[in-house]
Amino acid sequence: MSQKAMVFIDGGWLYRSRTTLFAKLGRENFEIDYAKLPRVFCEDVANQLDEDISLVRTNYFGTIPSARSGFNTSKQYAFYDFLEESCGYETDIHEVDVGTDENWIKMSLAATMLFYAAQPGAYDIAVLIGDDSDYAPALRKLRLMGKRVQVVSARLDGRPVNPASSLTTKHRVSDFPTLWLDEHAAEVRLVRERVVRSCKQCGREEETTWAGPEFFCSDCRGRYRGNA
């Protein structure tokens, strides 16, 4: 019988950690393949255990600035819709005031991990893509509940991005060696293919690399930006 894995992604941490991926493959040439991201690290866990791993759910936690003057949130909402509709993610998104921290993400992620851990048979292994020592208490509780934990962090120059707040310095928070986002840069890189799609607004066909569920041609996007 295969082990069940559930992935928990701290979207704020992942966004900030893109610098490690840029350092590997270049800022202009790198985008994350979100459909592939959780599978890559579940495969690593399967290899460590030499067992089959079944990915049962990917949970993504993010925020949107609610009071930022002149900021158009439609692109971020479209991104979160893409994660749900095209990548199969469960998203938990919260509007925050500009200047506030992202503690909401940490609280929601930790609560969700523990909630599912309390549901019989929900998952066996938690894969946390996000390295922050604030998660340490929740991860220790997960292990006391019989769940195994895999932490995914990121390095620059051989060290965690934020050593002072890294889970890699904490004891009893993980059952496996840390996996490193930068070591998997080539695997999680999105390679876009150019295809012809029809504009949702006007129906005109145009070549694009956009893979989201809705496509708008350059003319319609230009009119939208002009009216924003």
Side-chain angles (χ1 to χ4, degrees):
M1 181 180 297
S2 66
Q3 297 283 298
K4 296 178 181 178
M6 197 173 288
V7 175
F8 302 87
I9 301 176
D10 182 330
W13 177 89
L14 183 58
Y15 181 82
R16 294 189 298 273
S17 298
R18 294 179 308 159
T19 53
T20 65
L21 303 175
F22 297 156
K24 282 284 185 178
L25 298 177
R27 181 178 295 270
E28 295 181 357
N29 299 314
F30 194 89
E31 291 181 72
I32 294 174
D33 188 332
Y34 287 93
K36 188 185 295 183
L37 180 70
R39 297 198 301 268
V40 165
F41 293 108
C42 284
E43 288 172 4
D44 258 22
V45 175
N47 290 334
Q48 293 183 74
L49 292 174
D50 194 22
E51 295 182 29
D52 291 333
I53 298 293
S54 174
L55 173 59
V56 295
R57 186 186 297 266
T58 298
N59 304 274
Y60 184 99
F61 302 82
T63 58
I64 288 182
S66 60
R68 184 173 169 183
S69 178
F71 181 75
N72 190 334
T73 59
S74 60
K75 186 174 182 180
Q76 279 189 274
Y77 278 115
F79 169 67
Y80 295 138
D81 288 343
F82 166 75
L83 292 182
E84 288 189 350
E85 296 170 16
S86 297
C87 303
Y89 284 25
E90 294 290 330
T91 63
D92 200 344
I93 310 302
H94 186 67
E95 290 191 357
V96 296
D97 292 331
V98 177
T100 60
D101 59 29
E102 294 182 336
N103 283 336
W104 179 89
I105 289 180
K106 299 174 189 176
M107 290 186 288
S108 184
L109 190 154
T112 302
M113 279 198 302
L114 291 168
F115 170 80
Y116 282 120
Q119 310 308 308
Y123 72 87
D124 305 297
I125 301 168
V127 179
L128 171 62
I129 301 180
D131 184 5
D132 192 303
S133 58
D134 287 348
Y135 290 122
L139 297 182
R140 291 183 181 125
K141 292 295 189 297
L142 281 183
R143 299 183 72 214
L144 288 174
M145 296 170 73
K147 309 304 179 184
R148 287 188 280 189
V149 174
Q150 172 70 73
V151 173
V152 178
S153 184
R155 291 182 297 192
L156 275 176
D157 301 322
R159 301 178 63 203
V161 175
N162 295 304
S165 62
S166 175
L167 285 166
T168 60
T169 65
K170 303 297 180 181
H171 299 294
R172 303 188 306 278
V173 298
S174 181
D175 295 273
F176 310 99
T178 302
L179 296 177
W180 301 101
L181 190 63
D182 47 294
E183 287 188 353
H184 293 76
E187 296 171 73
V188 301
R189 176 184 179 183
L190 176 63
V191 179
R192 291 188 177 274
E193 297 183 3
R194 300 194 70 84
V195 296
V196 175
R197 296 186 64 177
S198 297
C199 175
K200 181 179 178 180
Q201 183 69 30
C202 69
R204 185 169 72 90
E205 290 189 339
E206 184 175 279
E207 192 176 62
T208 181
T209 59
W210 172 245
E214 297 180 349
F215 169 71
F216 297 91
C217 69
S218 54
D219 288 344
C220 290
R221 291 197 304 271
R223 285 195 293 271
Y224 177 81
R225 286 193 293 267
N227 295 328

